[in-house]
Amino acid sequence: MDGNELYINGPQRMHGELLIQGSKNAALPILAAAVLGTGIFILHHCPRISDVEHMLEMLEDAGCRVKWEGHMLIVDTRYLDNYQVNGNGAGKMRSTVTLLGSILGRMHRVAIPYPGGCTIGKRPIDLHLKGLEQLGAVFEHQEHALVGSAQRLHGAEVYLDFPSVGATENILLASVLADGMTTIHGAAMEPEIVELASFLRKMGAKVRGDGTPVILIEGVKTLHAAEYIIPSDRIVAGTYLFGAMMTKGEARLLHVPMAHLGNIPKLLQQMGALVETEEDCIYVNMKRQCSSLPYVVTAPFPGFPTDLQSALVAALSTASGMSFIEEKIFEARFQIVPELQKMGASIASEESFALIDGNARLRGARVEAKELRGGAALIMAALAAEGETCIYGMEYVRRGYEDINGDLKKLGIVI
């Protein structure tokens, strides 16, 4: 067995309590934001995942110094002097693109490799570039790199055609040091945007309206270092909640900001679970087979997150009756379907929807994680399946889950 395979004998019932790791989708833009200030930053509860390691490689490449102490991350940006990001991780992950706005904001020039990451569709960055161009940036596409420059960035009225999280983050990062006022219309409202804005405010930025569709940024001259606690990862929490549903289990997840879960607790109740919530903790207990859901559509926050769609598809494959899911965010999100079919699931899918005929008795099989969230969902399916499942492609899962084996052990699972 190599480190990229995981073997699970099922069925197993999830039961236990778990402290949820720091959020990947909050940590990455916050690390990009640190580039804008000069000094020593301290980030607590930072997830030790491969995407964060890749981001740190790129920051080191730019001249930053980084050091881990447990889950505390110290980033010294005083020696940042390189606007060209290479780092091994640069082409491997999507969030490389978040450095566009922050390096431009600090150095007025930037060169990054084209972003990589998961294979869940086109995910064009034209919204990012269009927004940054309105602030005064000019981009040229070279063979292996995207190169941008701006003699000076200035405020602008930016209208986003779609509430893209990445584009909102990039425009926010580029505008905090720009001259004058910037207004982002049609901004993403995800919790990670609110976390980024509150981190920038700790650095001395003037940002208001985050968490609504209109964000106002008044440019300042300089930003300073800050200390911050990364919130827990709502997608990791959601993964384990669906795992508890599929295995007729119970789980208490601690240190989960409930406001970040949106409508998920309500959805779990619709599927038949007992759900109890406190301000930063959720308990779910499932005593019977999941109920099907006639129609679920993925949507920007506070709608159902596309990042949990694979886990929901897996759970509904074991539910009673027919369910229908429509995917409106990424066009290649159903890569998990053929893998679940190998395990006995009855699912028909087209590019943007899946029809799931529940009541499947999942069987162990050799399946492949083709992207981060689908890989985690296959692990949850393996818990509910009869016999041994081998999941290969675990390197994708490590992009967002710090120690999924350790988490599952704490939740009563034998791996």
Side-chain angles (χ1 to χ4, degrees), residues 54-66:
H54 291 325
M55 178 63 101
L56 294 178
E57 276 175 36
M58 291 187 284
L59 293 182
E60 286 181 312
D61 212 39
C64 297
R65 296 172 185 185
V66 304

Side-chain angles (χ1 to χ4, degrees), residues 258-268 270 297 301-305:
M258 289 315 300
H260 291 193
L261 287 183
N263 59 13
I264 290 164
K266 200 169 143 194
L267 190 88
L268 299 175
Q270 283 175 306
V297 60
F301 192 83
F304 186 78

